[in-house]
Amino acid sequence: MIAETLRDRIRSGGPMSIAAFMTEALFDPSHGFYATKDPIGAGADFITAPEISQMFGELIGLVAAQTWLDMGRPDGVKLIEMGPGRGTMMADALRAARAVPGFIEAAEIVLIEASAALKAVQAQTLGPTGAQIRWVDRLEAVAPGPSIILGNEFLDCLPVRQAVRHKGTWHERLVGLDPEAEAESGFVFVLGPPLGEDLALVPERLREAGDGALVELRPGDRQVVDQLAARFAAHPGRALFIDYGPATSEIGDTLQAIRAHKKQPPLLDPGTADLTARVDFESLVLAARSAGLTAYGPEPQGAWLLGLGLETRAAALSQAQPGKRSQIARQIWRLTDQEQMGELFKLVCLDGGDLPIPPGFSAG
Ligand code: SAH
């Protein structure tokens, strides 16, 4: 059990960072939340946009194909998806992208996936497309060349760190053990050492926040940005990330655990629930720009999808299957309504700066 392993680690090595706790809880190869099962779908733990409607992946596929046209139709372009889940978005994207002659034939599909269980589901979903697919475990393992990179709800599960302002200094927030609470897992948040050099990870605008303020640091986002910058400096490339979080950096604890569509305390029973935290789009865009990338967005998901013609696609689908009209209308509502996914979910597009403005975005 992961809880026992983590308790042993804390007993022998002292409190651990939230990022380390999250990594074990999600990706421990034998008991991690993602390693062992397929958590995505109405009957499982959480649901995502591509699982709500085929239209989501279709529009993403058309944007990918347009990007290929804008690149000058390079042969061997890598179409990379980070964290493809059940493979649904890629399957819908490939189907729609057939509308652009030559794209599918030119594309090499690469999936970056940490979970063995989900790889198997992806192979099943994408088998019928006939596409040649390769799996790798990280972006650096993809051969150089022009690339189009997609990631839906990938950044939110990259491990986060948290920092708390205490007596005028930012300290790391760690996970320790409270022997009194051993019965209910025993994990508690404790104040760790001052951040030191990592203070640079605290958004500048928030650094003077009052005592007790908590910020989340996303070293994983920066790592991804640096990898993209290196890749796109050598060859044309564009990445599109869709995720949830505020447009501007905020104070506050957003670490959450979701199991069977319900929240549970984040430190309770690691490995049994999805652990995520909101993406800080402002810091992501700033990090991208300082790494030399051009960044567009964040653009709210609802406005972006509607701007790209979601309703036109829905009308065509409803005409083809009149019995599904109300189901399709509900899908639009879930993807675009402000109280649903329309506002909290956002898109960011990062590229090397040598391509036209991406579909649905305004100047970067
Ligand atoms: N994009 C899918 C799945 C989202 S869940 C959808 O929208 O339905 C997050 C996905 O990212 C899962 O497939 C998970 O296994 C994968 N993942 C998370 N962190 C990862 C990492 N560091 N490396 C590779 N895959 C990762």
Side-chain angles (χ1 to χ4, degrees):
M1 233 180 70
I2 295 183
E4 202 40 53
T5 315
L6 289 174
R7 278 194 287 265
D8 281 348
R9 248 176 84 174
I10 297 172
R11 277 186 206 112
S12 59
M16 59 169 34
S17 80
I18 292 170
F21 184 90
M22 233 173 133
T23 303
E24 294 298 319
L26 294 179
F27 297 110
D28 174 90
S30 24
H31 302 289
F33 177 73
Y34 279 107
T36 49
K37 62 170 186 161
D38 167 11
I40 307 162
D45 294 290
F46 62 92
I47 191 144
T48 57
E51 302 297 331
I52 289 173
S53 172
Q54 68 181 77
M55 297 184 285
F56 185 82
E58 289 170 348
L59 288 177
I60 300 278
L62 292 176
V63 170
Q66 180 63 49
T67 303
W68 175 71
L69 294 175
D70 291 341
M71 286 174 169
R73 306 168 183 252
D75 203 27
V77 65
K78 313 275 187 287
L79 178 58
I80 303 167
E81 186 174 353
M82 305 183 83
R86 314 196 78 244
T88 308
M89 184 171 95
M90 184 58 85
D92 293 335
L94 292 176
R95 193 179 58 252
R98 289 201 181 279
V100 175
F103 174 53
I104 302 295
E105 294 71 19
E108 292 172 13
I109 295 152
V110 183
L111 304 181
I112 300 178
E113 177 55 68
S115 154
L118 285 173
K119 272 186 210 165
V121 180
Q122 290 153 19
Q124 235 173 22
T125 308
L126 290 162
T129 66
Q132 285 289 327
I133 296 164
R134 271 191 324 116
W135 279 266
V136 296
D137 57 6
R138 63 212 149 82
L139 192 55
E140 294 106 309
V142 185
S147 45
I148 301 166
I149 301 175
L150 308 171
N152 186 59
E153 293 210 43
F154 171 74
L155 298 175
D156 67 358
C157 50
L158 295 182
V160 296
R161 292 164 59 187
Q162 290 185 333
V164 177
R165 195 110 201 264
H166 178 69
K167 299 191 178 158
T169 305
W170 286 99
H171 288 249
E172 178 125 17
R173 192 182 194 215
L174 299 172
V175 181
L177 277 178
D178 173 6
E180 309 268 301
E182 288 272 331
E184 318 109 46
S185 92
F187 299 108
V188 286
F189 290 109
V190 297
L191 196 68
L195 280 185
E197 272 182 14
D198 290 345
L199 183 64
L201 292 170
V202 177
E204 214 171 320
R205 222 161 31 74
L206 304 179
R207 270 182 217 160
E208 292 310 314
D211 266 8
L214 186 153
V215 291
E216 284 168 342
L217 318 176
R218 308 196 56 99
D221 293 10
R222 289 182 186 233
Q223 230 173 357
V224 170
V225 159
D226 290 343
Q227 290 167 359
L228 296 178
R231 210 178 156 88
F232 299 170
H235 298 278
R238 169 169 276 172
L240 190 62
F241 292 109
I242 310 100
D243 229 302
Y244 76 107
T248 51
S249 305
E250 287 178 357
I251 295 285
D253 177 4
T254 75
L255 186 66
Q256 66 170 18
I258 301 273
R259 177 184 195 172
H261 303 273
K262 289 209 182 71
K263 286 192 186 181
Q264 70 181 37
L267 301 185
L268 186 79
D269 228 351
T272 63
D274 193 25
L275 269 182
T276 63
R278 293 186 176 202
V279 171
D280 172 356
F281 284 101
E282 183 180 359
S283 292
L284 177 65
V285 163
L286 288 174
R289 292 194 177 132
S290 70
L293 294 169
T294 299
Y296 302 90
E299 206 61 55
Q301 175 174 297
W304 190 83
L305 290 172
L306 292 169
L308 283 189
L310 185 68
E311 282 172 321
T312 310
R313 178 67 185 133
L317 281 179
S318 301
Q319 202 162 26
Q321 297 171 288
K324 291 206 170 154
R325 191 173 293 272
S326 64
Q327 193 182 329
I328 292 167
R330 192 177 150 78
Q331 292 172 0
I332 293 199
W333 172 75
R334 290 191 66 186
L335 293 176
T336 66
D337 187 84
Q338 303 230 335
E339 303 295 312
Q340 298 285 314
M341 299 178 82
E343 191 66 38
L344 178 60
F345 281 75
K346 298 179 179 69
L347 289 97
V348 154
C349 182
L350 310 176
D351 66 36
D354 41 9
L355 294 168
I357 296 174
F361 290 87
S362 41

